[in-house]
Amino acid sequence: MTSAERIRAELIAAARELGADESVDPVIERPREPSLGDWTTNLAMTLARPLRKKPAEIAGLLRDRMRLADAHVERIDIAGPGFMNFWLDPARIADSVRDVIFADADFGRTNAGNSEPVNIEFVSANPTGPLHVGHGRQAALGDAIATLLEWTGWKVSREFYYNDAGVQIENLSKSVNAWVNSLEGATLEIPEGGYHGEYIREIAERFVQSGAKKNDESLREFAVAALRAEQDLDLQAFGVKFDRYFLESSLYSDGKVESTVQELRKAGMTYESEGALWLKTSEFGDDKDRVMRKRDGTYTYFVPDVAYHVTKWDRGFHRAIDVQGADHHSTTTRVRAGLQALDMGIPSDYPEYVLHQMVTVMKSGEEVKISKRAGSYVTVRDLINEVGRDAVRFFFLMRKSDSQLVFDIDVALKQSEENPVYYVQMAHARMCGIFRVGEIDRESYSLEGIDLGVLREPEEQELINALADFPREIAGAAAALEPHRIATYLGETARLAHLWYHKHHVLGEPEPIMRARLALARSAQIVIRNGLGILGISAPERM
């Protein structure tokens, strides 16, 4: 049990002695200012009303009842209106360095998920063009969320759902056909709703070179296959891998869409009106009922989505997470309504959704709107070619998913503290550099005989506290499905590492101090490396 866990347990016990409810749940967190202690809680203020006492009085009573010898608490201060600030023994804080080094690549891992399966679907782009920067943000988010859940013990399956059916694919086929006709001498006439990028001409050229017989089916299959391969190259450039690719078209060919519709009809959750088939989504929180099958006999977009999620449930994924653009907001209600209407025992919050806002790309103070190949938008590969995979991933992940993201290419290219990914990677490189300059083997550095208790400088204690918080940060980010928390944590930890590096020498100091500081440098290197790895970013040893 950590010191924080011990403090929390004692707070609960003391609060109950004072008559607090059994459900008392104190929040233990780091103070905003390190000068206010190592841990703080506002429990006394939350208990003021139920216990009918002043917060400062309650704080004193709690302090008197807490038994904290095992938590290595040196003192408890009561501040302001009733905050309780806890000060730990500096030697105990320094022991966290030992924990980091012993765990090494596994520091931060837990088994909270108990190896339960979870399906994470992300990117899931229509195979109608290269991946744009919005897909890139989604790829970074989905991959990082998957890794966070893996670090907390979940058995993760990454899945890409290809929307290879519907009007978009028909328009893709017609667009390629228009270019094929043009290459054969006809006037180029891209159909309404068609695709205009240079990549369409490239597909048409390859189709002609293939010698395949031209018809609607051959054009569709060739174009979809070509763009699936194109998107695979985009994902490879981004370092994203999937465990399964699921085709929307298979839901029709396997009869899953039709069987799902029939089950909804049997359940009495549909009705005919105005020549269309409707689903009673209003009974499950939607503002009105929705059309399932249109007058022309085709299904609306959310029907195959319902069938698709039935397959996830049937495959044993009783937890599923979909990462999608904010424009899919209405989909969440309709898909969940369809799953509830089937009455299969699926929870009302299945699947979970992480929705993200789009990306604006800036360069030289102006918005970049088009790609040379895609024509109407910026591709993720364009961005990777411009600034590198690491910068793209970090920038996509450094803001909360539901916030607008401005990607400034000029900042991403800077080799200074203005560039957040460079700043974090430089902190890692500096920790490695200490060992390189000292000609010391970092990987096999031994803690035997080291007195970590000499690490008492304020900058050392603050850095060690930050490193010790890494498992808690991972757990919180995984539970909230918010990888931006790790990016924020890395930025702050890098700041503390740079500050310590500049203020305190390591090599050339007296032996006890030098050896302890080398251990601190090693633990900082491990945590920053592990954190960058969760985000899919490299941890260079030289910059």
Side-chain angles (χ1 to χ4, degrees):
M1 185 179 289
T2 65
S3 293
E5 290 168 342
R6 182 66 177 166
I7 291 169
R8 187 174 182 280
E10 284 297 318
L11 281 170
I12 291 172
R16 288 174 178 171
E17 284 184 31
L18 294 177
D21 188 87
E22 288 291 310
S23 63
V24 62
D25 187 22
V27 175
I28 309 295
E29 55 190 359
R30 297 289 188 190
R32 290 184 179 179
E33 295 293 333
S35 60
L36 297 177
D38 297 301
W39 295 102
T40 188
T41 183
N42 67 345
L43 177 61
M45 286 177 276
T46 65
L47 292 177
R49 178 171 293 179
L51 297 185
R52 298 181 179 180
K53 289 183 173 65
K54 293 182 178 180
E57 180 185 355
I58 294 173
L61 293 171
L62 290 170
R63 179 175 59 184
D64 293 344
R65 284 163 173 75
M66 295 178 73
R67 302 165 185 83
L68 292 170
D70 293 344
H72 304 279
V73 174
E74 284 195 331
R75 76 174 196 267
I76 305 173
D77 290 344
I78 299 172
F83 287 102
M84 297 178 70
N85 297 331
F86 299 84
W87 298 80
L88 302 186
D89 175 3
R92 174 59 181 172
I93 294 173
D95 274 344
S96 298
V97 170
R98 197 180 309 274
D99 298 336
V100 175
I101 294 176
F102 281 157
D104 199 350
D106 288 328
F107 184 70
R109 290 187 183 272
T110 65
N111 195 33
N114 297 314
S115 297
E116 290 293 315
V118 56
N119 179 285
I120 303 180
E121 177 211 329
F122 56 104
V123 182
S124 295
N126 298 328
T128 54
L131 299 181
H132 57 62
V133 290
H135 295 132
R137 187 179 193 185
Q138 190 175 137
L141 280 167
D143 199 37
I145 289 170
T147 306
L148 279 169
L149 291 176
E150 287 171 335
W151 272 68
T152 50
W154 290 86
K155 186 178 180 180
V156 174
S157 178
R158 294 166 169 83
E159 188 155 308
F160 189 123
Y161 177 58
Y162 273 116
N163 298 106
D164 63 333
V167 175
Q168 300 98 323
I169 302 302
E170 290 181 15
N171 288 336
L172 169 67
S173 178
K174 291 176 181 178
S175 301
V176 174
N177 185 50
W179 264 108
V180 170
N181 292 338
S182 174
L183 294 170
E184 294 174 346
T187 302
L188 177 64
E189 295 181 5
I190 301 295
E192 184 179 354
Y195 298 90
H196 296 264
E198 181 71 10
Y199 67 95
I200 298 294
R201 180 185 61 79
E202 294 173 2
I203 293 172
E205 288 176 346
R206 295 207 298 272
F207 180 83
V208 171
Q209 292 167 4
S210 73
K213 185 176 180 180
K214 188 179 73 170
N215 55 54
D216 291 346
E217 183 62 20
S218 64
L219 281 168
R220 189 190 73 81
E221 289 183 355
F222 191 92
V224 168
L227 284 167
R228 284 186 61 186
E230 174 88 14
Q231 292 180 355
D232 284 347
L233 292 175
D234 293 336
L235 294 168
Q236 288 173 25
F238 209 33
V240 175
K241 297 179 180 180
F242 288 89
D243 300 298
R244 177 164 183 170
Y245 293 87
F246 195 105
L247 301 181
E248 179 188 0
S249 57
S250 71
L251 295 168
Y252 291 94
S253 60
D254 294 345
K256 195 65 181 180
V257 171
E258 190 60 37
S259 65
T260 300
V261 172
Q262 292 307 317
E263 289 299 318
L264 288 168
R265 298 185 78 157
K266 288 179 185 177
M269 299 309 301
T270 66
Y271 60 91
E272 299 273 357
S273 178
E274 300 174 353
L277 181 67
W278 297 69
L279 180 66
K280 299 176 183 178
T281 55
S282 60
E283 294 190 16
F284 301 94
D286 203 355
D287 58 345
K288 61 181 180 180
D289 294 340
R290 302 291 173 174
V291 173
M292 292 178 61
R293 190 183 62 225
K294 295 179 283 187
R295 294 177 184 176
D296 62 5
T298 61
Y299 291 111
T300 53
Y301 69 92
F302 82 90
V303 177
D305 283 354
V306 174
Y308 171 48
H309 285 87
V310 170
T311 74
K312 291 185 183 182
W313 184 265
D314 289 344
R315 284 184 276 148
F317 294 113
H318 290 182
R319 186 181 186 193
I321 300 164
D322 293 359
V323 184
Q324 298 180 343
D327 56 331
H328 287 75
H329 185 270
S330 60
T331 304
T332 64
T333 302
R334 296 168 198 177
V335 170
R336 286 174 174 172
L339 294 170
Q340 291 302 293
L342 287 167
D343 196 22
M344 296 174 55
I346 298 177
S348 59
D349 60 353
Y350 185 95
E352 301 168 53
Y353 286 94
V354 176
L355 302 181
H356 67 89
Q357 295 292 337
M358 292 295 103
V359 180
T360 300
V361 180
M362 303 292 292
K363 185 176 183 180
S364 302
E366 296 182 356
E367 182 177 351
V368 182
K369 294 185 177 181
I370 62 172
S371 161
K372 290 180 180 178
R373 289 190 70 244
S376 60
Y377 58 87
V378 181
T379 72
V380 67
R381 220 185 310 170
D382 287 336
L383 210 51
I384 293 170
N385 291 338
E386 189 88 23
V387 301
R389 177 198 296 178
D390 287 345
V392 175
R393 275 191 177 250
F394 196 94
F395 274 62
F396 280 164
L397 292 169
M398 67 183 183
R399 298 283 182 266
K400 193 173 181 179
S401 61
D402 61 3
S403 65
Q404 295 286 342
L405 177 65
V406 175
F407 194 112
D408 193 321
I409 289 176
D410 299 324
V411 173
L413 288 171
K414 288 185 177 179
Q415 295 187 356
S416 71
E417 63 182 34
E418 290 182 69
N419 181 350
V421 66
Y422 179 87
Y423 187 66
V424 173
Q425 289 178 319
M426 176 56 79
H428 179 269
R430 277 181 165 162
M431 299 302 105
C432 294
I434 293 171
F435 288 86
R436 186 172 60 252
V437 172
E439 298 183 337
I440 300 165
D441 185 354
R442 184 182 74 246
E443 298 297 331
S444 60
Y445 187 69
S446 174
L447 288 172
E448 186 177 349
I450 292 179
D451 178 15
L452 295 172
V454 302
L455 298 172
R456 291 175 173 265
E457 295 290 345
E459 294 79 14
E460 291 170 336
Q461 293 276 297
E462 194 173 356
L463 175 57
I464 294 168
N465 275 336
L467 300 177
D469 284 348
F470 185 54
R472 192 165 60 96
E473 293 289 342
I474 291 175
L481 306 179
E482 293 181 344
H484 77 277
R485 296 189 185 191
I486 301 301
T488 301
Y489 166 83
L490 286 172
E492 176 58 17
T493 302
R495 183 188 71 80
L496 295 173
H498 285 302
L499 178 64
W500 172 72
Y501 176 89
H502 286 300
K503 196 162 185 179
H504 301 288
H505 292 292
V506 177
L507 304 175
E509 292 295 304
E511 186 76 7
I513 294 177
M514 183 183 75
R515 294 193 66 198
R517 287 181 176 170
L518 281 168
L520 177 54
R522 172 69 171 141
S523 62
Q525 177 262 321
I526 288 171
V527 168
I528 295 173
R529 179 202 65 199
N530 289 359
L532 286 170
I534 288 172
L535 303 184
I537 297 168
S538 68
E541 298 189 6
R542 295 172 182 263
M543 295 287 284

